[in-house]
């Protein structure tokens, strides 16, 4: 009998855009395996669940990619090679400091050149330096997904690809992944008509891929997952239940309303709250803590 | 008895972010009324429909903002003042030529400066010139929305605000607006739980705001709406039905699959197909045609 994830991947095939990305990923991981790099997969942004085959409408998960893009910068600072697997149009490491419009606003013509205005020089320089370093050392590799099925397919492929790093791989699953979806065979081909009256959409539950990921795809990796809640009374219990269920290394719990300055790190033996002040990036503290834990795990 | 739109606005109140934008809009329109400018409202990007009050999930409409952002540039070229009402993270006029990442990639350090690389100079210069001109002449005003209810509320306010321009106002409603929504009183407060089994979501039909817009909010304006279909056999009939229903000036019909190079312009007396080659921007032709029609309408 097929396992539930095998069944999902049989029925929900990846897009061409997802598949073509594997080639360049492989040369990235080969290079860093040779260099004995530590490697982090950072997933970021929300997945969509199409409601029609010719997709006009979809259910989306709120995520600007703030947590993932900031964290990726700090993993790079700690010397990791980073696979940044994200939803296009959500924030990217270094680029996150600007919108395209704000970046256009920093530019001015100067004789034959176009240059960054003096008053914006320092902030652009900081971002550009980090970005150029990561690119120059080939430490930052981008992968993109939009739909839930592409996300899950890439997650499996990337995990398997990183499994050769053994304990040196860290998976930081910050993407906001849909819990519900509409299987391809239940989707209407065309745009849902408003003349048909109010539509009722019944979604199915997405299989929990953390189970095969931890047991089969990357069994030696240090795996970190996230839990986002809006009801504080459920948060810690849900984090503990996840650790118990999936036997991975760490769950980071956060509340929608306070996620920028408070998180809890829950592992099999402890609950550790991390807070940050307004002017701090809490991801700096989270990533520091995880790098320490990852080191202890490697040393075990 | 309340009209359906009054009922909608009573039950679905705008966010603070929507309301605070009206002040600066008013000084923009006052300036251009004094200057006797023609003015175009261009709406762009898709609206979201939240599924929870503490919004984690929402139904979204596919729209990158391509049509709206390109068209806004051409309305500016034709001398219009433009109110660009769009969804953040979708494309913006001029900035659309770059992603933040691609713009970072064009920059390099040069002694004490950060400058655009020589090989990218022309493309950045073209965008920057158009952008600086529009800003310098205060011809381009941005408004943003994310949710359906903010979009509809802003649409009403902006239309009423532009009604003082009489026939000199053109409304180009290119945003992809949800046909369905979940009324606030039916939303769960917290994130939908997967432990509760597969959720069923029943949506309601969004009231057609084109009716009060054309009859009450901006009765003298030249109003252009869009129809996006995935089934070609329905397209022209649906465009004609919309013109008949709402008595506005023009419907632009397009197919999801071919929208970049083919549209039909349908008004009360004609159906006019416009096509563009791969290297052309079809919006240049659409806007040219609309400016001509708008001129004829003003001269009538």
């Amino acid at each position: 009998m097929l396992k539930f994830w095998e069944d999902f991947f049989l029925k929900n095939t990846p897009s061409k855009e997802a598949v073509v990305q594997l080639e360049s990923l492989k040369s990235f991981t080969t290079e860093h395996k040779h260099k004995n790099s530590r490697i982090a997969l950072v997933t970021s942004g929300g997945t969509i669940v199409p409601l029609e085959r010719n997709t006009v409408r979809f259910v989306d998960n709120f995520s600007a990619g703030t947590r993932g893009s900031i964290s990726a910068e700090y993993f790079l600072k700690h010397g990791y090679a980073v696979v940044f697997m994200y939803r296009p149009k959500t924030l990217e490491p270094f680029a996150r400091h600007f919108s395209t419009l704000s970046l256009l606003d920093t530019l001015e013509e100067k004789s034959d050149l176009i240059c960054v205005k003096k008053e914006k020089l320092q902030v652009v320089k900081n971002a550009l330096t980090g970005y150029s370093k990561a690119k120059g050392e080939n430490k930052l590799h981008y992968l993109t997904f939009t739909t839930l099925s592409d996300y899950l397919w890439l997650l499996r492929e990337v995990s398997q690809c990183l499994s050769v790093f053994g304990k040196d791989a860290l998976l930081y699953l910050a993407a906001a992944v849909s819990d519900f979806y509409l299987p391809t065979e239940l989707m209407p081909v065309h745009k849902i008509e408003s003349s048909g009256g109010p539509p009722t959409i019944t979604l199915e539950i997405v299989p929990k891929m953390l189970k095969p990921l931890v047991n089969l795809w990357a069994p030696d990796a240090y795996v970190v997952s996230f839990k986002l809640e809006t009801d504080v009374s459920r948060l810690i219990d849900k984090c503990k239940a996840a650790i118990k269920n999936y036997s991975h290394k760490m769950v980071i719990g956060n509340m929608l309303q306070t996620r920028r300055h408070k998180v809890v790190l829950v592992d099999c033996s402890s609950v550790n709250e991390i807070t940050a002040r307004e002017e701090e990036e809490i991801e700096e503290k989270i990533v520091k803590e995880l790098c320490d834990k990852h080191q202890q795990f490697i040393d075990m």
Side-chain angles (χ1 to χ4, degrees), chain A residues 102-169:
Chain A
S102 73
L103 207 46
L104 262 192
D105 273 322
T106 67
L107 297 176
E108 62 183 354
E109 291 201 50
K110 225 175 197 173
S111 57
D112 285 349
L113 297 170
I114 295 177
C115 297
V116 172
K117 290 174 192 164
K118 211 174 157 189
E119 67 270 25
K120 300 289 175 63
L121 201 59
Q122 200 50 53
V123 56
V124 176
K125 194 171 177 163
N126 289 347
L128 191 62
T129 303
Y131 177 63
S132 304
K133 184 169 184 293
K135 272 190 62 180
E137 298 173 353
N138 195 28
K139 282 263 180 114
L140 176 56
H141 188 80
Y142 303 89
L143 295 174
T144 61
F145 63 85
T146 301
T147 62
L148 170 78
S149 49
D150 276 0
Y151 174 85
L152 292 178
W153 187 85
L154 277 170
L155 182 66
R156 183 184 65 175
E157 297 300 314
V158 178
S159 307
Q160 289 175 339
C161 197
L162 297 194
S163 67
V164 297
F165 287 81
K167 292 171 95 175
D168 285 338

Side-chain angles (χ1 to χ4, degrees), chain A residues 77-90:
Chain A
K77 277 196 184 154
H78 282 275
Y80 283 70
V82 172
V83 177
F84 186 66
M85 183 174 140
Y86 77 113
R87 161 96 168 267
K89 311 273 171 186
T90 64

Side-chain angles (χ1 to χ4, degrees), chain A residues 195-266:
Chain A
S195 58
T200 294
I201 303 156
T202 299
L203 300 172
E204 297 198 1
I205 291 176
V206 174
K208 300 291 183 193
M209 297 297 182
L210 210 44
K211 194 152 266 180
L213 187 153
V214 170
N215 290 302
L216 297 173
W217 304 339
D220 297 324
Y222 191 89
V223 178
V224 182
S225 72
F226 282 79
K227 267 247 165 281
L228 178 71
E229 290 296 326
T230 63
D231 183 355
V232 72
S233 68
R234 298 168 170 176
L235 184 64
I236 304 249
D237 283 348
K238 294 202 113 191
C239 290
K240 286 182 176 169
I243 284 284
K244 206 173 155 209
N245 246 328
Y246 305 113
S247 313
H248 60 310
K249 301 300 180 285
M250 180 79 76
V251 178
I252 301 181
N254 51 167
M255 296 291 302
L256 184 62
Q257 302 82 349
T258 60
R259 68 195 187 283
R260 308 267 23 100
H261 54 267
K262 196 197 282 187
V263 300
V264 281
L265 271 56
V266 179

Side-chain angles (χ1 to χ4, degrees), chain A residues 44 65-75 84 91-93 96 260 281-284 287:
Chain A
S44 185
T66 311
R67 182 82 83 210
S69 61
I70 304 181
S71 301
E73 287 185 21
Y74 286 111
F75 279 114
F84 186 66
L91 296 175
E92 294 147 329
R96 72 179 169 97
R260 308 267 23 100
E281 290 184 324
I282 196 168
E283 290 77 9
E284 179 170 11
V287 172

